[in-house]
Amino acid sequence: MSEFGSRLRELRRAAGLTMEQLAEASGVSARAISDMERGHSRAPQARTLTALAAALGLDPGGERDLGETARQQRTPAAGRPRLCEPPRAIKDFVGRADELDRMRRHALAGLGPAAVAVVHGQAGLGKTALAVRLADQLRDRYPDGRFYLDLRGTDPEPMPTGDALVRLLRALEVTARQIGETDDERSSQLRAVLRERRCLLVLDNAGSEAQVRPLLPSEGESLAVVTSRRVLGGLEGVERIALAPLAPAESAALLRAIAVQAADPRAAAEVEAVARLCGHLPLALRIAGTRLATRPAWTVEHLVTRLADADRRLATLSTGDLGVATAFALSHAQLSRPARELFRRLAHVPGVDFAPALAAVLTGTRPDDAADGLDELVDLGLLQQSGPDRYRFHDLIRLFAQERLRIEEPAGTRAATAKRMADWLLETAIVAGRWFEPGYGCLPDGYAGPVPLATAEEADAWLQAERNNWLGALRSASRGGQYQLVVDVAEAMHWYSDKYVRAEYWYDVYGRSRAAAARLPDRRQEVTHINYFSWAATNCARRPDEGARIAMDARRVAVELGDVKEQAWALRYAGDAWRLAGTPEAALPAYREAAELAEAAGDHDGYVQLRPGIARSLAELGRDEEAIAECAAALAEIDARPVAPRPALGARLNAQLTTASSLARLGRWAESLRAAEEALPVAVEYGYAGYLAEVHLTIGRARLALGARDAARPSLHLARDLLRDLPHSALQTLARESLRSLA
């Protein structure tokens, strides 16, 4: 019998009460009182103690004495072993302030069922360290004990729930004789004990909902923190904390806390590089910092050099019994066979993220089946969901997937899979790009691809979402000698590229198509792609001098071939380059000669686009009246000629924009406003932010000049915002000056 049990029995008898009478008066069960008196259970918690003291008629002093006896019983004797003791807290713990605050607030809420928090995420994010940190911070709130149990959820055989229940009940000092025989009985006992106490449970590395659900408190003031690589979405009424990699500043702070070399301010750039190469993953950062700290002769730069070798990075991120690859392998081992195949084959994806359709191509399955596999990878923390139906790897997990791919699939299979993926990406890109081509402008008959491309909007959405992937496939095809395919993709993008004219990647696309066309026998195809490359150099890479040189090379080849149409395009691109370089006096005759050649070649699409170019050059030479007349003639030609929709739209918009800006320079503000407002829906339809900004800027300036200051303000703000990321310095300056005049 314990000292508390003896004292309780003595007080009950002195009060002349039987166990049943004390139970009725206090609301505490007779069995619980019997267990306390015989020392078969721990002393009661504060609220139970208060109820017993009141029923026994104790004064405040007597209640304090009884409480002190209870506290002494709850305090283990010196040197006595404790079960389920939490592991040592990490002294150099960094970050996670928001997550800790969320869990503290959840623990202190005190409403409804007992608090349960689930911390989940991929291997190496520091889930255990976070849970132990919280347990250390809240030690005073949970005087009845903080208990830790590794459920071994990533082992081939996780800890059985029954064993976990026994361990927790023993840690809570329920005697072996009292522990129930079945898991249901033990779970009920655990909930009953936790309901009467204030304990914190850290249930680490949970493998499934079924394993952890019987271990959770149901009522009372206890807190359970569950960590798992899985989301454990089947658990209801829990606070779910999804961990992400550390912020760059936190990563650098952790490295500085571990290794003295990283604390040197002169190594700040190298420390940032180490953090980036570690993917800001706490486990990787800790291993990298430890390797640095245990090798005093190393510099941070030396570590950067080692980590920069992608093929050796996972090997470098290993020390002692810790290893990033080892941590990932535990999750990998839990995958089903189809999910393992999907995981390694996703290493073929050239871009940062992807959709289920691409995963289906890699595995030869239906997109719905691929989506199920992706969900399995997400659930185990081997893949991240970056948006609706978009997925991505953590950088280090991608390296692990590449490693598994090399180990598990022969070279021939890898090559065939990579080619199948690349061919599908490029064939789909051609179908999508041709929506914007004058000769196509629709979906081909019989298209049965796995992605929706039924409208130009859907085609644009796919091309943008998968841009890094089809660009990667294009580079692969270029390296692999698939020259005609490279040219076909670039040709399909010719008119689509106008929608994103300032995107620098077109310089790469048309540089590759020019080189590919040079390897093919059709020289007319070659001169076309030299012209496209000139356009990209001038408009996308903002290298007008280079663009002009390339255009004149295209003209030379076109003259050799007798190709009048491509001569016109070459002069048009040379004119664009010279005008952008600030020499409209050179651009004007080039445009005029190009217009004559386009007319001679019967190239109506090219001709109607040259007339606004002539007008722009006139305007830039200060000849605004002539520019306005040229624009009027251009608009008439667009209506009179059989021009394809997209070229007509671009030519119309440029003529309207030039008219509006020339009228503004002439101070004819009312006419300028009308012209700009007519251009607005055309600019919206065209879709290029630079043109839309120019329209709104002219509308805002015109309204301002006409005294409508309030009406001018939203247009000017919108123009400024649209121009923020575009290289239109003159328009940006004009927008800022106009807004300052409103202040």
Side-chain angles (χ1 to χ4, degrees):
M1 183 181 295
S2 67
E3 181 178 350
F4 173 79
S6 297
R7 181 60 177 156
L8 178 60
R9 176 175 292 180
E10 178 183 324
L11 290 170
R12 176 176 62 78
R13 288 176 174 174
L17 299 174
T18 64
M19 285 187 189
E20 289 73 16
Q21 288 171 330
L22 178 58
E24 184 177 355
S26 65
V28 179
S29 72
R31 179 173 178 176
I33 294 171
S34 174
D35 286 345
M36 283 185 265
E37 289 188 359
R38 289 182 295 161
H40 290 168
S41 68
R42 289 169 56 110
Q45 299 312 302
R47 58 186 176 184
T48 302
L49 192 65
T50 299
L52 289 170
L56 291 167
L58 299 182
D59 58 23
E63 183 178 349
R64 281 195 300 273
D65 290 342
L66 185 61
E68 181 60 31
T69 305
R71 280 190 290 275
Q72 290 174 0
Q73 179 171 318
R74 287 196 293 267
T75 303
R80 179 181 174 184
R82 286 283 300 268
L83 297 175
C84 299
E85 275 289 291
R88 182 171 64 93
I90 297 172
K91 291 184 178 180
D92 50 21
F93 188 91
V94 168
R96 306 301 191 201
D98 289 344
E99 291 86 349
L100 286 166
D101 184 57
R102 277 183 62 188
M103 288 194 288
R104 280 194 297 268
R105 283 188 280 110
H106 183 60
L108 298 173
L111 299 174
V116 177
V118 174
V119 181
H120 64 92
Q122 70 180 60
L125 285 170
K127 299 181 290 296
T128 301
L130 176 65
V132 172
R133 178 77 166 185
L134 179 73
D136 190 57
Q137 290 182 347
L138 296 181
R139 62 171 60 243
D140 292 339
R141 175 168 173 77
Y142 297 98
D144 297 319
R146 297 167 301 126
F147 303 96
Y148 171 89
L149 188 61
D150 183 357
L151 298 174
R152 303 198 308 269
T154 54
D155 286 7
E157 294 184 9
M159 178 182 289
T161 300
D163 291 357
L165 286 165
V166 169
R167 292 187 183 213
L168 289 172
L169 287 168
R170 288 181 60 199
L172 289 162
E173 298 185 359
V174 177
T175 63
R177 185 177 62 82
Q178 291 176 302
I179 293 176
E181 295 183 2
T182 68
D183 287 354
D184 285 345
E185 291 174 352
R186 294 165 183 166
S187 179
S188 178
Q189 282 181 298
L190 179 63
R191 291 194 298 273
V193 172
L194 293 176
R195 184 171 57 247
E196 298 297 326
R197 305 185 191 179
R198 189 181 290 175
C199 301
L200 190 155
L201 305 184
V202 175
L203 303 174
D204 196 23
N205 195 14
S208 68
E209 294 92 337
Q211 182 195 32
V212 77
R213 189 179 284 111
L215 311 179
L216 302 178
S218 59
E219 298 175 348
E221 298 182 61
S222 291
L223 167 67
V225 179
V226 182
T227 76
S228 179
R229 298 186 184 189
R230 297 180 182 272
V231 177
L232 301 182
L235 295 181
E236 299 176 349
V238 302
E239 180 78 358
R240 197 165 269 106
I241 311 288
L243 287 196
L246 294 176
E250 293 171 339
S251 298
L254 179 56
L255 288 168
R256 287 194 293 267
I258 297 172
V260 65
Q261 300 98 311
D264 187 340
R266 293 170 297 181
E270 289 77 12
V271 169
E272 290 177 6
V274 170
R276 185 175 61 255
L277 291 167
C278 288
H280 304 288
L281 193 69
L283 176 61
L285 292 162
R286 187 163 296 282
I287 291 172
T290 300
R291 296 203 72 180
L292 195 60
T294 56
R295 292 162 177 79
W298 279 19
T299 63
V300 184
E301 185 177 6
H302 183 88
L303 181 59
V304 170
T305 302
R306 290 208 168 204
L307 290 172
D309 182 354
D311 291 336
R312 294 285 303 159
R313 191 176 305 159
L314 291 179
T316 301
L317 292 173
S318 176
T319 184
D321 62 348
L322 292 178
V324 170
T326 303
F328 295 158
L330 292 173
S331 293
H332 182 262
Q334 295 188 322
L335 293 174
S336 64
R337 185 173 179 178
R340 287 189 188 187
E341 179 186 66
L342 174 60
F343 175 73
R344 63 179 179 261
R345 289 191 175 183
L346 288 172
H348 285 297
V349 176
V352 174
D353 63 356
F354 53 89
L358 185 53
V361 171
L362 286 165
T363 55
T365 58
R366 297 182 303 112
D368 287 348
D369 293 334
D372 291 340
L374 294 170
D375 286 344
E376 185 176 345
L377 295 177
V378 169
D379 191 44
L380 274 166
L382 290 170
L383 202 62
Q384 302 168 3
Q385 196 151 12
S386 57
D389 290 327
R390 301 297 298 179
Y391 300 85
R392 65 185 298 160
F393 275 129
H394 182 276
D395 291 346
L396 295 179
I397 294 182
R398 177 188 286 275
L399 293 179
F400 180 71
Q402 291 171 351
E403 185 178 275
R404 301 316 307 168
L405 183 65
R406 289 192 296 269
I407 292 171
E408 297 175 16
E409 293 195 0
T413 302
R414 297 199 302 269
T417 302
K419 186 176 184 304
R420 182 173 70 244
M421 175 197 69
D423 287 350
W424 177 81
L425 281 166
L426 296 181
E427 288 162 6
T428 306
I430 290 170
V431 172
R434 282 178 174 169
W435 261 107
F436 304 87
E437 286 290 299
Y440 295 89
C442 62
L443 196 65
D445 293 337
Y447 173 77
V451 295
L453 299 175
T455 64
E457 290 74 21
E458 287 182 344
D460 179 27
W462 185 88
L463 286 167
Q464 288 304 301
E466 299 293 347
R467 182 178 69 231
N468 290 328
N469 291 323
W470 66 257
L471 282 172
L474 185 73
R475 293 170 187 132
S476 177
S478 176
R479 292 191 298 269
Q482 294 178 274
Y483 301 124
Q484 189 59 58
L485 181 57
V486 171
V487 169
D488 289 345
V489 172
E491 185 66 48
M493 299 293 167
H494 172 50
W495 288 97
Y496 176 71
S497 60
D498 278 347
K499 188 175 176 67
Y500 300 97
V501 66
R502 301 303 181 198
E504 293 187 7
Y505 54 81
W506 297 122
Y507 183 78
D508 183 27
V509 170
Y510 289 111
R512 290 180 184 277
S513 70
R514 175 202 187 184
R519 304 291 293 271
L520 297 170
D522 185 353
R523 293 207 71 201
R524 291 182 183 275
Q525 190 170 242
E526 178 186 0
V527 72
T528 297
H529 284 267
I530 297 173
N531 268 328
Y532 292 167
F533 187 43
S534 168
W535 170 86
T538 297
N539 294 284
C540 308
R542 308 298 286 180
R543 303 176 189 173
D545 292 341
E546 181 184 357
R549 287 195 302 272
I550 296 169
M552 297 313 290
D553 182 45
R555 185 192 188 196
R556 176 186 58 77
V557 176
V559 169
E560 289 176 9
L561 297 173
D563 190 329
V564 176
K565 177 181 176 181
E566 291 303 326
Q567 290 178 50
W569 279 102
L571 283 170
R572 180 260 170 93
Y573 290 137
D576 289 346
W578 288 324
R579 191 170 59 80
L580 188 62
T583 55
E585 65 277 8
L588 182 57
Y591 283 140
R592 282 179 165 159
E593 185 179 353
E596 293 174 3
L597 291 168
E599 179 81 313
D603 181 8
H604 299 291
D605 291 348
Y607 177 83
V608 297
Q609 292 181 88
L610 283 159
R611 297 295 295 269
I614 293 171
R616 287 235 178 199
S617 297
L618 288 167
E620 288 169 11
L621 289 167
R623 297 158 62 179
D624 285 304
E625 294 285 4
E626 292 177 69
I628 292 168
E630 184 67 28
C631 288
L635 290 169
E637 293 285 1
I638 294 166
D639 292 334
R641 292 175 181 259
V643 186
R646 186 72 182 176
L649 188 69
R652 185 178 304 279
L653 178 57
N654 270 290
Q656 291 174 325
L657 285 173
T658 303
T659 298
S661 58
S662 287
L663 288 166
R665 279 189 295 273
L666 292 170
R668 294 158 61 179
W669 291 109
E671 295 172 80
S672 175
L673 179 59
R674 283 196 298 272
E677 288 175 337
E678 287 177 6
L680 181 56
V682 185
V684 170
E685 182 181 356
Y686 195 82
Y688 171 52
Y691 289 153
L692 195 58
E694 190 173 349
V695 171
H696 281 292
L697 178 59
T698 303
I699 289 173
R701 293 180 64 233
R703 287 173 175 168
L704 185 61
L706 293 168
R709 293 171 62 86
D710 290 341
R713 185 173 282 104
S715 294
L716 292 173
H717 278 289
L718 183 55
R720 181 199 60 190
D721 293 343
L722 288 168
L723 289 165
R724 184 168 287 138
D725 297 323
L726 295 172
H728 295 288
S729 57
L731 293 180
Q732 288 169 346
T733 300
L734 198 54
R736 286 194 297 268
E737 290 175 351
S738 299
L739 283 169
R740 276 198 295 270
S741 69
L742 284 171

